[in-house]
Coordinates of all heavy atoms in Angstrom, one line a residue:
P1 N 12.8 1.3 4.5 CA 13.9 0.5 4.3 C 14.3 -0.4 5.4 O 14.8 -1.5 5.2 CB 15.1 1.5 4.0 CG 14.4 2.7 3.4 CD 13.0 2.8 4.1
D2 N 14.0 0.0 6.6 CA 14.4 -0.8 7.8 C 13.3 -1.6 8.4 O 13.4 -2.2 9.4 CB 15.0 0.1 8.9 CG 14.0 1.2 9.4 OD1 12.9 1.4 8.7 OD2 14.3 1.9 10.4
T3 N 12.2 -1.7 7.6 CA 11.0 -2.5 8.0 C 11.1 -3.9 7.3 O 11.1 -3.9 6.1 CB 9.7 -1.8 7.7 OG1 9.6 -0.5 8.4 CG2 8.5 -2.7 8.1
P4 N 11.0 -5.0 8.0 CA 11.1 -6.3 7.4 C 9.8 -6.6 6.6 O 8.7 -6.1 7.0 CB 11.3 -7.2 8.6 CG 10.7 -6.5 9.7 CD 11.0 -5.1 9.5
L5 N 10.0 -7.4 5.6 CA 8.8 -7.7 4.8 C 7.8 -8.5 5.5 O 6.5 -8.4 5.3 CB 9.3 -8.6 3.6 CG 8.2 -9.0 2.6 CD1 7.6 -7.7 1.9 CD2 8.7 -10.0 1.5
D6 N 8.2 -9.2 6.6 CA 7.2 -10.0 7.3 C 6.1 -9.2 8.0 O 5.1 -9.6 8.5 CB 7.8 -11.0 8.3 CG 8.7 -10.4 9.4 OD1 8.6 -9.2 9.6 OD2 9.5 -11.1 9.9
R7 N 6.4 -7.9 8.1 CA 5.4 -7.0 8.7 C 4.1 -6.9 7.8 O 3.0 -6.5 8.4 CB 6.0 -5.6 8.9 CG 6.9 -5.4 10.1 CD 6.2 -5.3 11.4 NE 5.2 -4.2 11.5 CZ 5.5 -2.9 11.8 NH1 6.7 -2.6 12.0 NH2 4.5 -2.1 11.8
V8 N 4.2 -7.2 6.6 CA 3.1 -7.0 5.7 C 2.6 -8.3 5.0 O 1.6 -8.3 4.3 CB 3.4 -6.0 4.5 CG1 3.7 -4.6 5.1 CG2 4.6 -6.5 3.6
T9 N 3.3 -9.4 5.3 CA 2.9 -10.7 4.6 C 1.5 -11.1 4.8 O 0.9 -11.7 4.0 CB 3.9 -11.8 4.9 OG1 4.0 -11.9 6.4 CG2 5.3 -11.5 4.3
D10 N 1.0 -10.8 6.0 CA -0.4 -11.2 6.3 C -1.4 -10.4 5.5 O -2.6 -10.8 5.5 CB -0.7 -11.1 7.8 CG 0.0 -12.1 8.7 OD1 0.5 -13.1 8.1 OD2 0.1 -11.9 9.9
Y11 N -1.0 -9.4 4.9 CA -2.0 -8.5 4.2 C -1.8 -8.6 2.7 O -2.6 -7.9 1.9 CB -1.8 -7.0 4.6 CG -1.8 -6.8 6.1 CD1 -0.6 -6.6 6.8 CD2 -3.0 -6.9 6.8 CE1 -0.6 -6.4 8.2 CE2 -3.0 -6.7 8.2 CZ -1.8 -6.5 8.9 OH -1.8 -6.3 10.3
L12 N -0.8 -9.3 2.1 CA -0.5 -9.3 0.8 C -1.7 -9.8 -0.1 O -1.9 -9.3 -1.3 CB 0.7 -10.1 0.4 CG 2.0 -9.6 1.0 CD1 3.2 -10.5 0.7 CD2 2.3 -8.2 0.6
A13 N -2.5 -10.6 0.4 CA -3.7 -11.1 -0.4 C -4.8 -10.0 -0.4 O -5.7 -10.1 -1.3 CB -4.3 -12.3 0.2
D14 N -4.7 -9.0 0.4 CA -5.7 -7.9 0.5 C -5.4 -6.7 -0.3 O -6.2 -5.8 -0.3 CB -6.0 -7.6 1.9 CG -6.4 -8.8 2.8 OD1 -7.2 -9.6 2.2 OD2 -5.9 -9.0 3.9
I15 N -4.2 -6.5 -0.8 CA -3.8 -5.3 -1.4 C -3.6 -5.4 -2.9 O -3.4 -6.4 -3.5 CB -2.5 -4.8 -0.8 CG1 -1.3 -5.8 -1.0 CG2 -2.7 -4.5 0.8 CD1 0.1 -5.3 -0.5
D16 N -3.6 -4.2 -3.5 CA -3.4 -4.1 -5.0 C -1.9 -3.7 -5.2 O -1.4 -4.0 -6.3 CB -4.3 -3.0 -5.6 CG -5.8 -3.3 -5.4 OD1 -6.3 -4.3 -5.9 OD2 -6.4 -2.6 -4.6
L17 N -1.3 -3.2 -4.2 CA 0.0 -2.6 -4.5 C 0.9 -2.7 -3.2 O 0.4 -2.4 -2.1 CB -0.1 -1.2 -4.9 CG 1.2 -0.4 -5.2 CD1 1.9 -0.9 -6.4 CD2 0.9 1.1 -5.4
L18 N 2.2 -3.1 -3.3 CA 3.1 -3.1 -2.3 C 4.3 -2.2 -2.7 O 4.9 -2.4 -3.7 CB 3.7 -4.5 -2.0 CG 4.9 -4.5 -1.0 CD1 4.4 -4.1 0.4 CD2 5.6 -5.9 -1.0
L19 N 4.5 -1.1 -1.9 CA 5.5 -0.1 -2.2 C 6.7 -0.3 -1.2 O 6.5 -0.2 0.0 CB 4.9 1.3 -2.1 CG 6.0 2.4 -2.1 CD1 6.8 2.4 -3.3 CD2 5.2 3.8 -2.0
V20 N 7.8 -0.7 -1.8 CA 9.0 -0.8 -1.0 C 9.9 0.4 -1.2 O 10.3 0.8 -2.3 CB 9.8 -2.1 -1.5 CG1 11.2 -2.2 -0.8 CG2 9.0 -3.3 -1.4
M21 N 10.1 1.1 -0.1 CA 10.9 2.3 -0.1 C 12.4 1.9 -0.2 O 12.9 1.1 0.6 CB 10.7 3.2 1.1 CG 9.3 3.7 1.2 SD 8.9 4.8 -0.2 CE 10.1 6.1 0.0
S22 N 13.1 2.6 -1.1 CA 14.5 2.4 -1.3 C 15.4 3.6 -0.8 O 16.6 3.7 -1.1 CB 14.9 2.0 -2.7 OG 14.2 2.9 -3.6
V23 N 14.7 4.5 -0.1 CA 15.3 5.6 0.7 C 14.4 5.8 1.9 O 13.2 5.3 1.9 CB 15.4 6.9 -0.1 CG1 16.3 6.7 -1.3 CG2 14.0 7.5 -0.5
F24 N 14.8 6.5 2.9 CA 13.9 6.8 4.0 C 13.1 8.0 3.5 O 13.6 9.0 3.0 CB 14.7 7.2 5.2 CG 15.2 6.0 5.9 CD1 16.5 5.5 5.8 CD2 14.4 5.2 6.8 CE1 17.0 4.4 6.4 CE2 14.8 4.1 7.4 CZ 16.1 3.6 7.2
P25 N 11.8 7.9 3.6 CA 10.9 8.9 3.0 C 11.0 10.3 3.7 O 11.3 10.4 4.9 CB 9.5 8.4 3.2 CG 9.6 7.4 4.4 CD 11.0 6.9 4.3
G26 N 10.8 11.3 2.9 CA 10.8 12.7 3.4 C 11.3 13.7 2.4 O 10.8 14.8 2.4
F27 N 12.3 13.3 1.7 CA 12.9 14.3 0.8 C 13.3 13.5 -0.5 O 13.8 12.4 -0.5 CB 14.2 14.9 1.4 CG 13.9 15.8 2.6 CD1 13.9 15.2 3.9 CD2 13.5 17.1 2.4 CE1 13.6 16.0 5.0 CE2 13.2 17.9 3.5 CZ 13.3 17.4 4.8
G28 N 13.3 14.2 -1.6 CA 13.6 13.7 -2.9 C 15.2 13.8 -3.1 O 15.9 14.5 -2.3
G29 N 15.7 13.1 -4.1 CA 17.1 13.3 -4.5 C 18.1 12.4 -3.6 O 19.3 12.6 -3.7
Q30 N 17.5 11.5 -2.8 CA 18.4 10.6 -2.0 C 19.0 9.5 -2.8 O 18.5 9.1 -3.9 CB 17.6 10.1 -0.8 CG 17.0 11.1 0.1 CD 16.3 10.5 1.3 OE1 16.9 9.7 2.1 NE2 15.0 10.7 1.4
S31 N 20.0 8.9 -2.3 CA 20.7 7.8 -2.9 C 20.0 6.5 -2.7 O 19.5 6.2 -1.6 CB 22.1 7.6 -2.4 OG 22.9 8.8 -2.7
F32 N 19.9 5.7 -3.7 CA 19.2 4.4 -3.8 C 19.9 3.4 -2.8 O 21.2 3.4 -2.7 CB 19.3 3.8 -5.2 CG 18.7 2.5 -5.4 CD1 17.4 2.3 -5.4 CD2 19.6 1.3 -5.5 CE1 16.8 1.0 -5.6 CE2 19.0 0.1 -5.7 CZ 17.6 -0.1 -5.8
M33 N 19.1 2.7 -2.0 CA 19.6 1.7 -1.0 C 19.4 0.3 -1.6 O 18.3 -0.3 -1.5 CB 18.9 1.9 0.3 CG 19.0 3.3 0.9 SD 17.9 3.5 2.4 CE 18.7 2.4 3.5
P34 N 20.5 -0.3 -2.2 CA 20.3 -1.6 -2.8 C 19.9 -2.7 -1.8 O 19.5 -3.8 -2.3 CB 21.7 -1.8 -3.5 CG 22.6 -1.0 -2.7 CD 21.8 0.2 -2.3
E35 N 20.2 -2.6 -0.5 CA 19.9 -3.6 0.4 C 18.4 -3.9 0.5 O 18.0 -5.0 1.0 CB 20.4 -3.2 1.8 CG 20.0 -1.9 2.4 CD 20.9 -0.8 2.1 OE1 21.5 -0.7 1.0 OE2 21.0 0.2 2.9
V36 N 17.5 -3.1 0.0 CA 16.1 -3.4 0.0 C 15.6 -4.3 -1.1 O 14.5 -4.8 -1.1 CB 15.2 -2.1 0.0 CG1 15.7 -1.1 1.0 CG2 15.3 -1.4 -1.4

């Protein structure tokens, strides 16, 4: 959630999937972060 998209823009042509986390990873059941 706190990583800007520009960290991955140079690789977008090389990937099949971009996963944007809407919680900080580690545990299930967290609240959705609309800012992402």
Side-chain angles (χ1 to χ4, degrees):
D2 58 350
T3 300
L5 184 65
D6 61 16
R7 284 283 303 276
V8 297
T9 50
D10 288 345
Y11 308 105
L12 294 179
D14 302 316
I15 63 175
D16 301 294
L17 180 65
L18 173 67
L19 171 52
V20 177
M21 293 300 300
S22 44
V23 298
F24 284 98
F27 295 92
Q30 298 184 63
S31 297
F32 179 76
M33 301 173 67
E35 56 266 34
V36 307

